[in-house]
Amino acid sequence: MDSSKPAKAVKDVVEAAAEKVAGVLTPDVPGAPGSAPPTVEEPTTPHDPLPPKAEQGAPETRTPTGAKTGAPTTANGQQGAFLTTSQGARLRDTDHSLKAGPRGPILLQDHHFREKITHFDHERIPERVVHARGAGAHGLFTAYGTAEKVTKAGFLKKGRETEVFVRFSTVLGSRGSADTVRDTRGFATKFYTDEGTFDLVANNMPVFFIQDAIKFPDIIHAAKPHPDREIPQAQSAHDTFWDFVSLHTEAQHHTMWNMSDRGIPRSYRTMEGFGVHTFRLVNAAGETVLVKFHWKPKLGVHSLTWEEAQLLGGIDPDFHRRDLYDAIEAGAYPEWELGIQVFPDTPEETFAGIDLLDPTKIVPEELAPVQPIGRLTLNRTPTNFFAETEQVAFHLGHLPPGIDVTNDPLLQGRLFSYVDTQLTRLGGPNFSQIPINRPHAPVNDMLRDGFHQHAVHAGVAPYRPNSLDGGNPFPAGDDENAFVDVPVTVAEAPKVRANPVSFDDHYSQVRLFWLSMSPVEKEHIIRAYTFELGKCYHQAIKERQLQSLANIDPVLCAEIATGLGLPAPQPTVPLADVPPSPALSQVGREWPSDGRMVGIVVDPDADLDGVGQVRRAVFAAGMVPLLIAPHGGLVGDLPVQRTFATGRSVEFDVLLLAGASAPAPDAIPAREATAGAADSAAVDPRVLLMVEECWRHAKAIGAWGGGVTVLERAGVAGTPGVVTGDSGAEVFTAVQRLLAAHRVWERFPASVA
Ligand code: HEM
């Protein structure tokens, strides 16, 4: 690059590049890397860094102590047109080290070489000890004002808008593991309120494996890969997990949630979130209530099928993060309502006989409805994964005035654990000054120095009381909105290592969950347990878990025992007589389908006008059309997103067939499923496989014109959820209606009622 040339405006560069590829690119389909299309030739005219993509956001530019800077968020990104050292000196060459002659050796004085390599050598930081794999997004929380009576928290006052950052995660896998494994999902939200940051560090399941935080290393050691061989990665289908949960039966409730469809969500956008613990809210008059927090997704709660989850682990291990980013880029902003279940703050801390301090128990919504208090919209993807998603640090102790903790022994332990691990993970005590963690409230602490100190503290008296800094900082009084720990009475009691007796019931709510499932959901639960226990090596562990299952439900136990080839034991405790909670089932309602993926198989000789119309209709419905054709590039003037070789059914929520594509030249029978059967000659075997898989996974399928032939060849014509019509538009409308129920449930056989 010639450093004497003037830098060109970013706008010119982006526009010139866009013009060059106009007509070929499809900016309306999300997923393009970079904010401008690349040119074939290497760009050589100097210009400022390209802006982030339109849907990307970054942490607001605040000082380390919370003040607004007024600078654009890009001020934290790289500046200027020219390559520099970390000190800003322009560099002519970064491809050759400084050597004594062309054949070396390299000279020690080559500062640029040493800086570049040294920094690279230290690029990795420890991944989170749990929840290592995650994806984040920025958004906005708008309060309804409905919580004003029960809390003085300012961000919950009517109409108040608060910036948020959310990180979703799996628990067990390493940072590079697959998204779609069977696991609990984290749902952690940082509200940057002007009264201090509030972190709601939640999961997509309302109960936890353990009742006391001291057991956390035990459950995690049991669930992580075996320490000798370090297998299996990111899954619970192995001996140590089932060894622990069958011995430590308070884990049975959470385990059944994991074995249910909740363990394999369709998308982060279709997950509920639960604060799990009971929290205490306090209003301006000092009155308190106990609450449980719930996130309710606008799109409903939906899951993958087990086969989809497994296929996606290989075909698209990034399925959930891609879905999150693509939905935001497409403008289908993920939304949740925040709700609370409210309970009187009584000395017993129970509600309807349920101990509110026991994190293995729920309070059914039928007993205490979830009352909406605000709306969360995720509308910007991060600009830089490491800076934002990796460095974000949540903590349950980050509470604004008006929200307080309870004595739940799991919650109490978490209050210690997060900051302790973050000291190591983020390399010192100043991680609250990293841009994504900076509060949006004025910070005046007396914490000083330490690694990576960004603040430049003035004054000489970081202690209290002082007179040398004029007494600053001052304690806030009652009228100055101080955080006040609610003066809850702690009952006089001996110091013991013991649980309340109410924590001893390990089975009644697991049975409640089981009885609340529809037949198809029960079937999935049976298959999940049978698979996971079937992967265990030792029979003793399977037998022990069967005993717990017998204590939950005899039918459940018998079905799984049959699959394992073992006798079903008799219950050792009376079966609980509990009414089901219909709110726990995912089946039987209709939901919006924003941001869903519509696969459209195109035959180059087929009705391309019709395909163009359907494509526009899919966009208009807030969904994303992906055209699948025998080859890449264009079909007519329509851009192709997947070929028969690169597309697979699991990427789509519904499938439309616009033609009957004959086998493409690359459909050579090979030793893989996509090569299809020998008698599939008239239709490309990969298209037939897509149809078969979509049918098996109970997805809606539509066809018109030549596409109807494909349905016939696949043997699915006329079956439930397979629609045909005269035009693509008509077929799409029918398929969209089916998608509202997420799946064509009647296609799933169920062996249990
Ligand atoms: C109700 C029970 C729990 C829930 C809902 C929960 C949720 C979460 C979530 C969502 C994250 C990921 C945060 C992120 O995205 O950065 C996380 C991380 C973590 N959790 Fe928990 N957790 C629970 C119990 C516990 C317990 C009992 C402990 C320890 C005593 C614990 C220790 C940790 C640690 C060490 C991390 C990693 C934090 C970091 O490196 O920043 N968790 N948890």
Side-chain angles (χ1 to χ4, degrees):
M1 181 191 294
D2 179 353
S3 61
S4 62
K5 285 189 193 161
K8 244 183 139 193
V10 178
K11 195 168 148 280
D12 299 349
V13 177
V14 175
E15 279 174 5
E19 215 169 280
K20 207 159 190 173
V21 291
V24 178
L25 261 197
T26 52
D28 38 12
V29 170
S35 58
T39 50
V40 174
E41 305 81 33
E42 180 183 351
T44 51
T45 310
H47 61 83
D48 284 343
L50 296 181
K53 290 179 71 180
E55 80 284 1
Q56 289 177 334
E60 246 189 35
T61 48
R62 297 271 171 166
T63 68
T65 48
K68 271 190 172 171
T69 68
T73 53
T74 47
N76 279 334
Q78 60 274 43
Q79 307 293 313
F82 299 104
L83 179 72
T84 72
T85 64
S86 68
Q87 304 305 305
R90 287 184 183 176
L91 286 161
R92 175 177 290 278
D93 182 344
T94 189
D95 298 335
H96 304 91
S97 50
L98 188 65
K99 298 195 274 293
R103 295 168 68 79
I106 296 175
L107 299 177
L108 184 60
Q109 80 172 67
D110 187 351
H111 177 71
H112 174 50
F113 169 84
R114 281 185 289 116
E115 178 181 80
K116 186 172 174 183
I117 298 297
T118 302
H119 197 280
F120 168 76
D121 290 344
H122 298 268
E123 274 177 9
R124 293 290 168 270
I125 63 170
E127 63 176 36
R128 287 170 177 82
V129 65
V130 284
H131 295 264
R133 168 89 183 163
H138 299 269
L140 201 66
F141 177 78
T142 310
Y144 296 158
T146 41
E148 280 183 36
K149 271 196 203 130
V150 288
T151 176
K152 62 179 175 181
F155 83 102
L156 290 173
K157 293 205 186 314
K158 190 175 170 61
R160 201 66 81 77
E161 292 192 331
T162 304
E163 298 273 338
V164 300
F165 185 78
V166 176
R167 182 174 181 271
F168 302 105
S169 48
T170 53
V171 179
L172 297 181
S174 302
R175 208 184 130 184
S177 56
D179 278 346
T180 58
V181 294
R182 183 179 291 285
D183 197 358
T184 307
R185 300 298 187 287
F187 187 150
T189 307
K190 191 175 277 299
F191 298 79
Y192 301 92
T193 94
D194 55 11
E195 297 171 340
T197 301
F198 171 47
D199 288 347
L200 182 53
V201 197
N203 278 346
N204 76 327
M205 300 184 187
V207 288
F208 206 68
F209 290 108
I210 49 173
Q211 293 165 322
D212 187 320
I214 199 168
K215 297 295 298 176
F216 195 66
D218 299 278
I219 173 63
I220 298 303
H221 289 170
K224 283 272 187 181
H226 294 197
D228 51 355
R229 299 176 167 205
E230 218 201 14
I231 52 176
Q233 175 59 236
Q235 49 189 292
S236 52
H238 57 105
D239 286 74
T240 56
F241 176 78
W242 289 98
D243 187 32
F244 177 81
V245 299
S246 59
L247 287 170
H248 192 74
T249 49
E250 72 197 39
Q252 290 291 326
H253 194 183
H254 191 166
T255 305
M256 181 168 294
W257 277 78
N258 274 48
M259 294 306 112
S260 79
D261 290 349
R262 305 271 179 154
I264 42 173
R266 155 64 181 84
S267 159
Y268 293 136
R269 300 181 289 135
T270 60
M271 293 188 328
E272 282 180 318
F274 303 90
V276 181
H277 312 287
T278 301
F279 290 80
R280 182 171 272 110
L281 300 186
V282 54
N283 67 13
E287 297 157 337
T288 60
V289 289
L290 298 176
V291 296
K292 282 185 181 286
F293 288 106
H294 293 247
W295 288 114
K296 294 276 184 191
K298 177 181 154 193
L299 301 182
V301 190
H302 304 303
S303 296
L304 298 168
T305 68
W306 177 231
E307 189 183 52
E308 281 178 306
Q310 285 184 301
L311 288 172
L312 281 165
I315 288 163
D316 189 3
D318 307 302
F319 186 69
H320 284 153
R321 54 170 66 170
R322 188 190 309 286
D323 172 271
L324 177 69
Y325 304 148
D326 282 358
I328 294 175
E329 186 175 344
Y333 295 150
E335 278 185 15
W336 288 261
E337 269 190 331
L338 181 63
I340 45 175
Q341 286 180 296
V342 183
F343 318 106
D345 190 359
T346 60
E348 298 75 33
E349 295 166 317
T350 59
F351 183 80
I354 299 163
D355 193 330
L356 296 173
L357 297 197
D358 179 353
T360 66
K361 304 288 190 312
I362 60 163
V363 177
E365 291 184 30
E366 292 75 11
L367 298 181
V370 177
Q371 304 173 34
I373 62 172
R375 178 176 298 276
L376 164 70
T377 307
L378 296 181
N379 53 17
R380 285 171 300 140
T381 61
T383 300
N384 184 281
F385 185 92
F386 181 85
E388 300 166 70
T389 309
E390 200 57 18
Q391 294 201 110
V392 69
F394 296 95
H395 194 288
L396 276 86
H398 295 166
L399 297 165
I403 306 179
D404 203 355
V405 295
T406 59
N407 293 343
D408 173 342
L410 188 68
L411 191 168
Q412 294 274 319
R414 294 178 74 194
L415 289 170
F416 166 74
S417 180
Y418 288 70
V419 81
D420 183 46
T421 192
Q422 285 151 1
L423 281 171
T424 304
R425 183 166 75 77
L426 298 167
N430 288 317
F431 53 82
S432 66
Q433 300 179 6
I434 294 171
I436 192 68
N437 295 325
R438 288 182 181 178
H440 290 195
V443 176
N444 194 355
D445 56 33
M446 290 183 293
L447 313 171
R448 290 292 181 272
D449 308 343
F451 282 118
H452 320 302
Q453 178 60 255
H454 287 244
V456 184
H457 295 109
V460 292
Y463 53 82
R464 272 206 47 81
N466 77 69
S467 62
L468 286 174
D469 280 348
N472 184 287
F474 301 95
D478 287 347
D479 297 342
E480 285 133 353
N481 201 26
F483 182 94
V484 179
D485 300 283
V486 178
V488 180
T489 304
V490 179
E492 193 181 320
K495 211 186 322 176
V496 287
R497 289 187 185 272
N499 278 339
V501 176
S502 62
F503 281 30
D504 288 347
D505 165 19
H506 296 172
Y507 294 114
S508 66
Q509 285 215 339
V510 204
R511 180 164 172 74
L512 183 155
F513 183 83
W514 166 254
L515 294 177
S516 307
M517 296 292 104
S518 64
V520 64
E521 290 169 297
K522 283 184 174 166
E523 180 76 36
H524 290 174
I525 290 172
I526 290 167
R527 295 302 141 227
Y529 274 108
T530 312
F531 175 88
E532 297 247 331
L533 290 166
K535 298 279 275 189
C536 289
Y537 189 92
H538 288 293
Q539 184 169 324
I541 291 170
K542 302 179 197 188
E543 285 177 8
R544 202 192 298 138
Q545 176 59 29
L546 282 175
Q547 184 57 64
S548 274
L549 293 168
N551 293 348
I552 297 164
D553 188 84
V555 174
L556 168 73
C557 179
E559 291 277 341
I560 297 165
T562 305
L564 297 176
L566 291 171
Q570 291 302 309
T572 52
V573 297
L575 291 182
D577 182 16
V578 277
S581 165
L584 295 174
S585 171
Q586 295 177 220
V587 177
R589 276 165 284 172
E590 297 211 332
W591 302 95
S593 43
D594 313 20
R596 296 295 198 107
M597 294 292 176
V598 180
I600 309 175
V601 174
V602 191
D603 173 359
D605 300 326
D607 165 29
L608 293 183
D609 285 346
V611 173
Q613 278 167 19
V614 169
R615 195 170 172 274
R616 284 191 292 280
V618 173
F619 276 127
M623 297 194 246
V624 177
L626 296 179
L627 261 51
I628 316 156
H631 56 74
L634 297 176
V635 175
D637 59 359
L638 299 172
V640 173
Q641 280 79 40
R642 299 285 188 278
T643 66
F644 293 168
T646 62
R648 190 81 188 247
S649 72
V650 285
E651 294 180 88
F652 318 123
D653 293 290
V654 293
L655 187 65
L656 299 179
L657 299 149
S661 272
D666 62 344
I668 308 157
R671 290 194 181 277
E672 59 182 61
T674 54
D679 67 355
S680 60
V683 178
D684 192 290
R686 285 124 354 145
V687 174
L688 278 181
L689 182 69
M690 271 181 223
V691 175
E692 286 159 11
E693 284 180 348
C694 282
W695 195 89
R696 196 160 68 241
H697 301 150
K699 287 174 175 162
I701 304 171
W704 72 100
V708 179
T709 318
V710 183
L711 300 180
E712 283 156 9
R713 286 225 61 111
V716 302
T719 59
V722 176
V723 293
T724 54
D726 293 335
S727 72
E730 181 191 336
V731 170
F732 173 60
T733 307
V735 162
Q736 207 186 344
R737 272 200 298 271
L738 291 167
L739 184 57
H742 183 54
R743 288 189 198 276
V744 183
W745 292 109
E746 60 259 54
R747 268 198 230 139
F748 275 119
S751 60
V752 286

